[in-house]
């Protein structure tokens, strides 16, 4: 692992925790166990796109609207992370990663360590290439959903109340 | 005229009483957060410059970018509709709803959709519209208008929202905490989103290269609004288009920090619609979402509604750079007291709203609140794209003046040798022509002071010109600063280190003469040759009243008077910060480039100059600057002085002289030139001042000092004793009468 990666990883971990997000690390083979101990059932998810990295049993990966609505947890992959903001990038797809990551009270995001970039400049270089090429959509998510509209800051507005990130390294 | 001022004062008083506390706490919280959050950015200024130049370029190339975007969105499978005005946009959106047999449209927050009043239009067409942003939903339930462009329900307290919900929805158990209110709203709105046929969003930015729109949100309602229904409509002003995806980066880093003081909001959605996410069809709850046969539809409604004309208007064009972050609202002392229900027009609120309202709704909408910008300039450094918001307010004020029909002009006609083509109202002309008022007042002082503040005359001034009866008018001095200087028996130094023209601003010359004398003593003690030639007023007073032609002719005469000295190697030293702000800033718009640049480059604020002399090794032998000896000083820097970054010199010199300095952190004292003298704004000015009063009293220092004339007057009224200028505290002793 290069120094730059190590720095980005440490910075990301510190930033993401400052938003109250729990971060755990796991080797590819241990990801399923890490997810299993993170989730509150029932859980829905979308398949993780990396070889040798699997979802645990008990996560519904072909969810219906009813599954999505009833789920306490949604598990999805994050495509990228921005170290100095503690942000993760959630890419939309046909499998339904967007609603899966949005409706439950807990969102568990799985992120590869090598996909952590140092800053927004690097992130937007990536977005520029990706979005012009694929015309995809994505969300830069930082911490749980929140509102200050009801008189004081509340975590968990329309989106998840809690976020956990599992870093595959 | 007077009853108009009375009803304005009553309106402001009502808003301050009912909404002032909530607005004040929230906006000050956002503003403090902004300072903290931008302070953490290493390259804040560079990011602002980048953001500014992206907007300049985008607006310059706007027609081309709109064409490019249209092509891109159509290539992506969406539709672009360029709406000329609100009615055009509303008709198109209603058609889309009809084509989709839509009964319900759910919305995420969008100011542009408020501008066109789409909700009202669709409801008339039989489509139910639901605001899903929690703040907007509260207002929809309460049937109220937003008081802030980012946090629309900022004027409502938690208790007020709880009462509203408990009354409207009669829940089994009364709602009380913010958590309970949020959970209740989420549940109610979740139901409504489930059955929605169309989702409508705004767009913070749209990229022409990929057709990607950025949405800056925190609650997740915009994500649901887009993800759930099959049809998405996005409503955006044409000015939201930027060339490329990479251009989004500085804005993403700046918008949350500048607005609510968050480094970044929870969600920055980068949507390239129609989005490649399956719809969530709750009518068919048991079919996996990935198996659905979606046919997503996307309509981008780009709104002109006056924007293309603003682009052609040299003075209003900058408004289009606005990214609607709300920094100019939160940092504004007046806004902190009243919020958008007083400091706002039909749709927009805060400092930049004058430009938006004038451009999209017309001059009458801007006239409602344009006076509330005092030109203090604190918003200029807060604005992430560096818009000269006070200038836009001045221009609109000037245009409004031209259309007014002043009454009772006979009273000030003799005092108004202004070059305005037609009539600003009597109040603006009185304050705008302060120079002549001061000259006449000084000639007949102290009688004039006694007369002006005596009952009958004071009441006539209030009735005719709206000068607040509770204010003491400035006391003109019989011997002006210049007369004192000319009458001195002093041989100039033969070989001075520096040569200075000390600008005899109107306030120093006619009213605060002692600070002028102190400045002369201090400069001479530092080995400087000082001249005080006759130079006219800077034009600050007429400019603040929107009398641009008059201000320009003053500027020309100042440049004429000072130009030869500057050419001869003299530095220009200025005591009054608002006049230095003219020389360094506003004159750029009033003078030819060369005269502006040479004056701006050679002008200094008095303490900035003293600091420079001290740090550049001026000969300090025999210098008798005061020795603070640990005495405590409460210092309020002038708003424009702070914007120019010059307050730190006063603090540094005070510190070097052994004083223990506490500085105020309010954005403005509330007086702001003539603003606090106007009867309709007197109570607001005192409300703004109350925060400063509290800070100065809490500091409990040996000395209270200020830099600006307005601040001096205001603090005098607040504390019952006028503060001195910094230089009066620091200058060696001399005769002061």
């Amino acid at each position: 692992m290069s120094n730059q990666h190590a720095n980005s990883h440490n910075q990301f971990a510190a930033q993401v925790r400052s938003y109250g997000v729990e971060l755990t690390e796991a080797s590819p083979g241990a990801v399923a166990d890490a997810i299993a101990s993170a989730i509150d059932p029932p859980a829905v998810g979308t398949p993780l796109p990396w070889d040798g990295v699997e979802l645990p049993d008990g996560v519904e990966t072909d969810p219906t609207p009813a599954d999505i609505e009833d789920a306490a947890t949604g598990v999805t992959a994050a495509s990228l992370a921005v170290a100095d903001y503690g942000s993760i990038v959630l890419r939309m797809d046909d499998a339904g990663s967007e609603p899966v990551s949005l409706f439950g009270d807990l969102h568990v995001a799985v992120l590869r360590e090598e996909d952590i970039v140092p800053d927004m400049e690097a992130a937007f270089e990536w977005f520029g290439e990706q979005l012009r090429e694929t015309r995809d959509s994505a969300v830069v998510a930082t911490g749980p959903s929140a509102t200050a509209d009801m008189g004081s800051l509340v975590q968990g507005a329309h989106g998840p109340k809690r976020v956990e990130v599992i870093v595959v390294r | 005229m007077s009853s108009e001022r009375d009803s304005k004062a009553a309106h402001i008083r009502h808003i301050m009483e009912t909404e002032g506390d909530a607005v004040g706490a929230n906006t000050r919280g956002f503003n403090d957060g902004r300072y903290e959050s931008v302070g953490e950015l290493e390259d804040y200024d560079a990011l602002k410059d980048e953001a500014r130049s992206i907007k300049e370029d985008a607006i310059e190339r706007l027609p081309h970018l709109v064409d490019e975007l249209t092509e891109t969105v159509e290539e992506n499978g969406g539709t672009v509709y360029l709406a000329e005005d609100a009615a055009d946009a509303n008709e198109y959106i209603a058609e889309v709803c009809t084509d989709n047999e839509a009964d319900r449209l759910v919305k995420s927050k969008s100011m542009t959709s408020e501008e066109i009043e789409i909700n009202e239009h669709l409801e008339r067409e039989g489509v139910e519209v639901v605001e899903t942003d929690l703040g907007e939903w509260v207002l929809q339930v309460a049937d109220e208008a937003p008081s802030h462009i980012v946090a629309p329900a900022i004027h409502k307290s938690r208790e007020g929202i709880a009462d509203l919900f408990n009354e409207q929805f009669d829940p089994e158990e009364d709602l009380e905490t913010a958590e309970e209110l949020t959970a209740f709203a989420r549940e109610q709105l979740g139901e409504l989103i489930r059955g929605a046929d169309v989702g409508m969003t705004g767009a913070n930015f749209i990229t022409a290269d990929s057709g990607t729109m950025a949405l800056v949100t925190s609650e997740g309602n915009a994500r649901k609004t887009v993800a759930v229904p099959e049809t998405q409509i996005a409503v955006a002003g044409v000015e939201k288009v930027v060339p490329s995806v990479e251009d989004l980066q500085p804005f993403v880093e700046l918008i949350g920090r500048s607005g609510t003081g968050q480094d970044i909001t929870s969600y920055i959605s980068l949507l390239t619609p129609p989005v490649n996410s399956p719809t969530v069809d709750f009518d068919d709850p048991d079919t996996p979402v990935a198996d659905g046969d979606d046919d997503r539809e996307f309509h981008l409604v780009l709104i002109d509604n006056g924007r293309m004309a603003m682009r052609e208007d040299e003075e209003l064009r900058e408004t289009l750079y606005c990214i609607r972050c709300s920094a100019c609202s939160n940092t504004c002392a007046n806004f902190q007291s009243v919020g958008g229900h007083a400091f706002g027009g039909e749709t927009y609120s805060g400092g930049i709203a004058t430009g938006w309202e004038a451009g999209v709704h017309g001059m009458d909408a801007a006239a409602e609140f344009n006076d509330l910008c005092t030109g203090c300039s604190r918003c200029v450094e807060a604005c992430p794209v560096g818009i000269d918001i006070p200038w836009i307010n001045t221009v609109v004020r000037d245009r409004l003046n031209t259309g007014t029909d002043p009454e009772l002009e006979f009273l000030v006609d003799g005092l108004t040798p202004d070059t305005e083509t037609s009539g600003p109202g009597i109040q603006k002309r009185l304050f705008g022509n302060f120079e002549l008022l001061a000259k006449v007042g000084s000639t007949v002082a102290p009688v004039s002071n006694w007369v002006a503040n005596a009952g009958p005359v004071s009441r006539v001034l209030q009735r005719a010109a709206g000068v607040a009866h509770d204010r003491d008018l400035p006391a003109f001095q019989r011997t002006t600063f210049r007369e004192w200087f000319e009458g001195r028996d002093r041989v100039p130094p033969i070989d001075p280190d520096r040569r200075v023209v000390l600008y005899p601003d109107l306030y120093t010359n006619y009213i605060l003469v002692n600070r002028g004398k102190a400045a002369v003593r201090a400069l001479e003690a530092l080995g400087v040759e000082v001249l005080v030639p006759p130079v006219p007023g800077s034009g600050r007073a007429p400019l603040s009243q929107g009398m641009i032609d008059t201000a320009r002719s003053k500027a020309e005469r100042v440049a004429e008077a000072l130009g030869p000295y500057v050419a001869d190697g003299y530095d220009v030293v200025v005591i009054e910060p608002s006049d230095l702000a003219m020389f360094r800033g506003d004159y750029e718009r009033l003078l030819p480039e060369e005269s502006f640049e040479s004056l701006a480059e050679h002008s200094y604020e008095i303490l900035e100059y003293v600091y420079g002399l001290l740090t550049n090794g001026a000969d300090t032998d025999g210098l008798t600057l005061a020795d603070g000896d640990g005495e405590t000083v409460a210092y309020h820097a002038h708003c424009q002085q702070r914007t120019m970054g010059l307050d730190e010199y006063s603090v540094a010199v005070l510190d070097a002289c052994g004083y223990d300095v506490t500085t105020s952190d309010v954005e403005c004292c509330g007086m702001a030139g003539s603003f606090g003298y106007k009867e309709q704004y007197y109570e607001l000015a005192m409300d703004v001042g109350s925060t400063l009063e509290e800070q100065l009293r809490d500091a409990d220092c040996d000395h209270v000092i200020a830099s600006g004339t307005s601040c001096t007057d205001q603090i005098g009224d607040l504390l019952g004793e006028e503060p001195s200028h910094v230089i009066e505290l620091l200058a060696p002793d001399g005769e002061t009468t």
Side-chain angles (χ1 to χ4, degrees), chain B residues 74-198:
Chain B
E74 284 169 359
E75 200 178 282
N76 294 346
T79 309
V80 177
Y81 185 77
L82 191 58
E84 233 172 86
D85 55 23
D88 189 11
N90 288 339
E91 268 170 46
Y92 178 79
I93 294 164
E95 263 171 46
V96 172
C97 289
T98 307
D99 291 349
N100 282 278
E101 295 171 7
D103 297 320
R104 183 187 300 144
L105 175 146
V106 287
K107 273 179 78 189
S108 67
K109 189 176 147 33
S110 148
M111 287 308 294
T112 308
S113 75
E114 309 242 3
E115 173 190 323
I116 61 173
E117 298 183 358
I118 183 65
N119 294 17
E120 292 78 357
H121 184 82
L122 288 180
E123 306 243 326
R124 277 195 299 274
E125 300 287 321
V127 181
E128 180 192 4
V129 179
V130 179
E131 296 282 358
T132 62
D133 172 85
L134 297 186
E136 289 285 354
W137 189 58
V138 167
L139 297 186
Q140 194 178 27
V141 172
D143 193 22
E144 289 177 21
S147 56
H148 188 275
I149 59 170
V150 171
I154 199 177
H155 60 287
K156 296 194 90 70
S157 64
R158 180 182 54 78
E159 295 80 2
I161 298 168
D163 290 347
L164 174 76
F165 281 9
N166 291 331
E167 193 180 305
Q168 287 279 333
F169 300 104
D170 196 19
E172 277 174 29
E173 265 184 57
D174 269 4
L175 304 165
E176 192 184 329
T177 65
E179 284 76 12
E180 289 166 3
L181 292 165
T182 302
F184 177 79
R186 173 190 174 129
E187 195 187 305
Q188 297 278 318
L189 289 167
E191 258 325 289
L192 293 164
I193 294 170
R194 278 167 58 115
D197 305 298
V198 177

Side-chain angles (χ1 to χ4, degrees), chain B residues 635-655:
Chain B
Y635 173 49
H636 173 66
H638 184 273
C639 45
Q640 288 162 334
Q641 182 189 10
R642 291 177 62 204
T643 300
M644 290 183 286
L646 300 176
D647 50 323
E648 60 197 56
Y649 296 111
S650 287
V651 175
V653 175
L654 283 164
D655 198 46

Side-chain angles (χ1 to χ4, degrees), chain B residues 406-639:
Chain B
E407 296 169 43
L408 286 165
E409 253 184 90
F410 64 91
L411 199 136
V412 281
D413 263 356
L415 289 175
T416 52
D418 51 58
T419 48
E420 300 309 302
T421 45
S422 71
I426 186 170
Q427 188 183 55
K428 289 196 163 73
R429 293 183 72 186
L430 180 78
F431 288 119
N433 288 291
F434 179 75
E435 180 162 12
L436 189 61
L437 195 68
K439 271 184 197 160
V440 174
S442 166
T443 312
V444 293
V447 179
S448 57
N449 298 323
W450 179 79
V451 171
N453 285 314
V457 171
S458 171
R459 274 194 291 278
V460 167
L461 275 175
Q462 171 153 353
R463 202 171 62 238
V467 179
H469 184 55
D470 292 315
R471 290 275 188 204
D472 276 343
L473 288 168
F476 298 114
Q477 303 297 308
R478 185 68 192 244
T479 305
T480 67
F481 171 49
R482 281 206 60 250
E483 285 165 357
W484 167 82
F485 187 84
E486 295 287 320
R488 286 192 330 157
D489 187 17
R490 189 182 161 89
V491 183
I494 295 163
D495 183 23
D497 298 325
R498 311 282 302 189
R499 297 187 302 166
V500 155
V501 169
L502 184 60
Y503 174 62
D505 67 85
L506 297 177
Y507 312 100
T508 304
N509 197 38
Y510 294 107
I511 301 165
L512 301 172
V513 172
N514 284 342
R515 70 184 194 181
K517 295 176 181 177
V520 171
R521 289 197 307 275
L523 289 170
E524 288 182 344
L526 289 163
V528 175
E529 178 199 338
V530 182
L531 297 183
V532 186
V535 187
S538 71
R540 167 60 68 195
L543 192 75
S544 74
Q545 306 305 307
M547 294 157 67
I548 296 177
D549 291 342
T550 307
R552 178 172 286 115
S553 75
K554 299 262 183 204
E556 283 161 0
R557 285 163 56 205
V558 167
E560 223 168 83
L562 290 175
Y565 290 102
V566 171
D568 203 23
Y570 280 81
D571 296 320
V572 176
V573 172
V574 182
I575 300 171
E576 178 58 37
S578 62
D579 286 330
L580 184 67
M582 290 291 282
F583 294 0
R584 284 198 184 171
D586 304 273
Y587 276 15
E588 188 173 9
R589 302 183 186 270
L590 302 174
L591 292 175
E593 197 179 331
E594 256 174 62
S595 9
F596 160 69
E597 277 178 3
S598 110
L599 183 56
E601 195 185 321
H602 294 96
S603 298
Y604 303 88
E605 192 264 344
I606 175 74
L607 269 300
E608 177 192 22
Y609 200 74
V610 168
Y611 176 89
L613 292 170
L614 294 177
T615 49
N616 287 321
D619 181 9
T620 52
D621 286 352
L623 175 68
T624 50
L625 277 174
D627 179 6
D629 200 21
E631 284 180 31
T632 54
V633 167
Y635 173 49
H636 173 66
H638 184 273
C639 45

Side-chain angles (χ1 to χ4, degrees), chain B residues 16-332:
Chain B
M16 285 197 297
E17 279 166 8
T18 52
E19 303 179 353
D21 288 347
V23 167
N26 286 315
T27 47
R28 289 192 187 100
F30 292 158
N31 197 38
D32 292 346
R34 173 177 63 82
Y35 280 114
E36 199 180 312
S37 181
V38 304
E40 289 162 8
L41 275 178
E42 269 170 46
D43 48 0
Y44 176 49
D45 288 327
L47 272 178
K48 280 167 71 177
D49 290 346
E50 205 186 332
R52 165 94 189 181
S53 67
I54 290 167
K55 277 290 181 183
E56 280 178 359
D57 168 61
I59 298 302
E60 180 65 33
R61 297 196 284 132
L62 191 55
H64 165 78
L65 288 176
V66 168
D67 287 346
E68 188 188 335
L69 174 66
T70 305
E71 220 170 278
T72 310
V73 170
E74 284 169 359
E75 200 178 282
N76 294 346
T79 309
V80 177
Y81 185 77
L82 191 58
E84 233 172 86
D85 55 23
D88 189 11
N90 288 339
E91 268 170 46
Y92 178 79
I93 294 164
E95 263 171 46
V96 172
C97 289
T98 307
D99 291 349
N100 282 278
E101 295 171 7
D103 297 320
R104 183 187 300 144
L105 175 146
V106 287
K107 273 179 78 189
S108 67
K109 189 176 147 33
S110 148
M111 287 308 294
T112 308
S113 75
E114 309 242 3
E115 173 190 323
I116 61 173
E117 298 183 358
I118 183 65
N119 294 17
E120 292 78 357
H121 184 82
L122 288 180
E123 306 243 326
R124 277 195 299 274
E125 300 287 321
V127 181
E128 180 192 4
V129 179
V130 179
E131 296 282 358
T132 62
D133 172 85
L134 297 186
E136 289 285 354
W137 189 58
V138 167
L139 297 186
Q140 194 178 27
V141 172
D143 193 22
E144 289 177 21
S147 56
H148 188 275
I149 59 170
V150 171
I154 199 177
H155 60 287
K156 296 194 90 70
S157 64
R158 180 182 54 78
E159 295 80 2
I161 298 168
D163 290 347
L164 174 76
F165 281 9
N166 291 331
E167 193 180 305
Q168 287 279 333
F169 300 104
D170 196 19
E172 277 174 29
E173 265 184 57
D174 269 4
L175 304 165
E176 192 184 329
T177 65
E179 284 76 12
E180 289 166 3
L181 292 165
T182 302
F184 177 79
R186 173 190 174 129
E187 195 187 305
Q188 297 278 318
L189 289 167
E191 258 325 289
L192 293 164
I193 294 170
R194 278 167 58 115
D197 305 298
V198 177
M200 177 184 281
T201 67
N204 292 87
F205 308 94
I206 315 172
T207 67
D209 62 345
S210 65
T212 302
M213 46 185 270
L215 278 179
V216 180
T217 68
S218 277
E219 293 180 356
N221 61 310
R223 292 177 66 188
K224 284 185 174 169
T225 298
V226 172
V228 174
E230 205 168 40
T231 301
Q232 185 197 348
I233 302 174
V235 172
V238 284
E239 83 284 3
K240 298 292 177 66
V241 188
V242 295
S244 72
V245 174
E246 286 84 346
D247 291 329
L248 297 173
Q249 179 235 327
F251 298 107
V252 165
E253 298 206 54
L254 288 168
I255 193 166
R257 295 178 194 270
S258 302
T260 51
Q262 294 164 275
D263 297 350
I264 190 165
T265 59
S266 301
Y267 303 124
I268 308 285
S269 292
L270 301 171
L271 307 170
T272 314
V275 296
N276 62 332
S277 179
T279 59
V280 191
D281 184 358
F282 289 100
D283 292 337
D284 182 10
D286 298 322
T287 303
V289 292
D291 298 349
D293 49 350
D294 294 335
D295 189 14
R296 281 194 177 270
E297 210 178 284
F298 172 62
H299 300 265
L300 174 61
V301 184
L302 285 177
I303 315 256
D304 179 345
N305 208 27
R307 288 166 173 80
M308 285 310 205
M310 289 165 80
R311 182 174 168 270
E312 300 296 325
D313 184 325
E314 206 183 311
E315 313 289 9
L316 289 187
R317 181 183 180 125
E318 236 190 327
T319 308
L320 298 173
Y321 304 163
C322 169
I323 61 169
R324 297 175 177 184
C325 67
S326 80
C328 61
S329 296
N330 305 330
T331 195
C332 172

Side-chain angles (χ1 to χ4, degrees), chain A residues 93-114:
Chain A
D93 56 29
D94 298 336
S97 291
E98 172 69 358
V100 162
S101 67
L102 182 60
F103 277 76
D105 276 350
L106 171 64
H107 173 220
V108 176
V110 185
L111 168 75
R112 290 192 308 177
E113 183 177 50
E114 62 258 46

